[in-house]
Amino acid sequence: MAAYIHQQLAEEIGLANDILSGWNKESQDYQSTRRELLNTAMKDTVNPFKIRLNGVLRENPPVVLLYQLSNVLDFYGRRFMELVGSESDLTISFFECKRETMQAFFASLEKQSEGLKRTPPIPPSDLTPPHEVHENVNKLTEIISIFDSSLVPIKERETEFTVILSAILDPIEQACLSSATKLGKMEQSVYMINCLSTVQSTLEKYDFVTSRLKTLNETIQIYITQVIDLEVSSILKDCGLSQMLSLLKFHESQASKVSLSGKPGMSSSSIGQCTRAFEAYLLDLGTLSMPLVEHILVHGHRSEARRGILSRVASAYAALFEAVNNPMNGYENPESLFRYKPDQVRTILLADL
């Protein structure tokens, strides 16, 4: 029906131009008379259109269809504004219809949001995004594609779409956070990386969501850092380096007259036992498989996490190596306590990255 009104308006504009052909088009009288002629000619089309629109809205159409309808109304509202000005009844009516449709759109999103709050999704055992996340991201993909094809000026796009984006994404992120509380700390971080990465891959295609994408990227980085911290802590504890590094850090923070080698737990024999355990750990490829890290879906994020973990482990080994080889710490024949130098350990750890 909007297309029919647009066609009828084009015909009426032609008639109005013929009627006013002798007038000065720059004059105020011409503009007001032309607008009055067109308003009179088109007034009988507005109410039937509104009635039909209200009938559609009462049927509670799907949220994507509501947004598509709003975009159509915006398209014709802008076209009518170009043809007959922003003060014409037709332009005003179509933008009013758009506002009503957007109210229904946001109401529908709010209803879905309440559903997610009441029943957060259950995280799958493989920590992939649940069905509810994929479903809502698919809706976002459709809506953002519709907006991308709209007539909204480029400089206005990010501002106009921000509210829509928040209304869709905030409930998704909150639902993921709620469901993640059922998991362990490491599993939580991997799960959130996977859920947010699903959204990230959609937003990366468009230049009018840069602010939200930046925030999303920063949040993902926080979770990747958490994965690195947790996995490094676990590895260092398993291979025996954690306690040694804690003792080393404490010693360095104290003004003690006792050398490091004379501190309990830091004797040459203790260091030798620790380094042998680390070397055995290092050569056992299964211990560095990091199964939870492998559940990170996006290759780039997974590689970043693995590199960060292994680099930190190599740095931890280097810190102990340097401390033991420091003459001030009192170790005799320190080179006998280590089979590998720090650069060799780093090469072994990072060889496959």
Side-chain angles (χ1 to χ4, degrees), residues 7-74:
Q7 182 179 356
Q8 187 175 354
L9 175 62
E11 295 175 0
E12 294 296 338
I13 288 175
L15 290 173
N17 289 342
D18 289 341
I19 293 172
L20 302 174
S21 59
W23 292 46
N24 178 8
K25 293 183 179 181
E26 302 300 323
S27 69
Q28 191 66 34
D29 287 343
Y30 173 85
Q31 297 296 333
S32 61
T33 303
R34 182 175 182 269
R35 183 166 57 248
E36 185 177 349
L37 285 172
L38 293 173
N39 281 340
T40 302
M42 300 300 296
K43 66 180 180 180
D44 291 337
T45 63
V46 173
N47 285 335
F49 182 81
K50 286 184 175 181
I51 292 171
R52 181 171 293 187
L53 175 65
N54 289 332
V56 171
L57 297 181
R58 281 195 296 270
E59 294 295 324
N60 296 317
V63 66
V64 174
L65 184 57
L66 279 170
Y67 190 72
Q68 195 167 29
L69 178 57
S70 170
N71 191 61
V72 170
L73 293 168
D74 181 80

Side-chain angles (χ1 to χ4, degrees), residues 65-226:
L65 184 57
L66 279 170
Y67 190 72
Q68 195 167 29
L69 178 57
S70 170
N71 191 61
V72 170
L73 293 168
D74 181 80
F75 171 84
Y76 282 107
R78 291 177 187 274
R79 284 292 297 135
F80 296 152
M81 184 165 59
E82 291 175 1
L83 294 170
V84 293
S86 60
E87 297 179 6
S88 75
D89 292 346
L90 196 57
T91 302
I92 293 170
S93 295
F94 263 73
F95 281 126
E96 286 176 351
C97 288
K98 179 196 172 182
R99 282 193 291 273
E100 292 175 9
T101 305
M102 286 302 294
Q103 287 174 357
F105 169 76
F106 283 118
S108 181
L109 286 177
E110 179 63 26
K111 185 177 180 180
Q112 294 177 17
S113 172
E114 291 299 323
L116 283 173
K117 288 178 183 177
R118 286 193 303 269
T119 312
I122 298 174
S125 59
D126 60 0
L127 304 178
T128 55
H131 167 74
E132 292 86 346
V133 171
H134 284 296
E135 185 177 52
N136 281 279
V137 170
N138 287 339
K139 289 177 184 176
L140 171 62
T141 301
E142 291 185 70
I143 288 169
I144 203 170
S145 177
I146 292 168
F147 181 81
D148 189 44
S149 65
S150 71
L151 293 181
V152 178
I154 292 176
K155 63 181 180 180
E156 299 174 13
R157 289 193 163 206
E158 184 154 5
T159 300
E160 178 153 338
F161 199 70
T162 294
V163 178
I164 298 167
L165 195 58
S166 295
I168 298 171
L169 289 188
D170 289 351
I172 296 176
E173 292 186 21
Q174 188 56 52
C176 291
L177 284 169
S178 298
S179 62
T181 58
K182 304 169 186 176
L183 303 169
K185 289 183 177 180
M186 182 70 165
E187 287 85 350
Q188 283 182 23
S189 296
V190 172
Y191 175 69
M192 289 303 298
I193 290 170
N194 288 338
C195 290
L196 297 179
S197 296
T198 304
V199 177
Q200 181 188 42
S201 63
T202 296
L203 299 188
E204 285 175 336
K205 303 171 186 176
Y206 302 96
D207 57 6
F208 50 84
V209 292
T210 52
S211 295
R212 186 59 182 253
L213 181 59
K214 180 182 178 183
T215 301
L216 188 66
N217 291 341
E218 290 171 351
T219 304
I220 291 173
Q221 285 301 313
I222 289 172
Y223 286 116
I224 291 175
T225 300
Q226 289 178 4

Side-chain angles (χ1 to χ4, degrees), residues 225-248:
T225 300
Q226 289 178 4
V227 166
I228 293 172
D229 290 343
L230 290 166
E231 190 68 17
V232 167
S233 177
S234 176
I235 291 174
L236 294 181
K237 182 178 180 181
D238 289 346
C239 68
L241 275 180
S242 181
Q243 184 177 5
M244 288 284 178
L245 292 170
S246 295
L247 293 171
L248 173 59

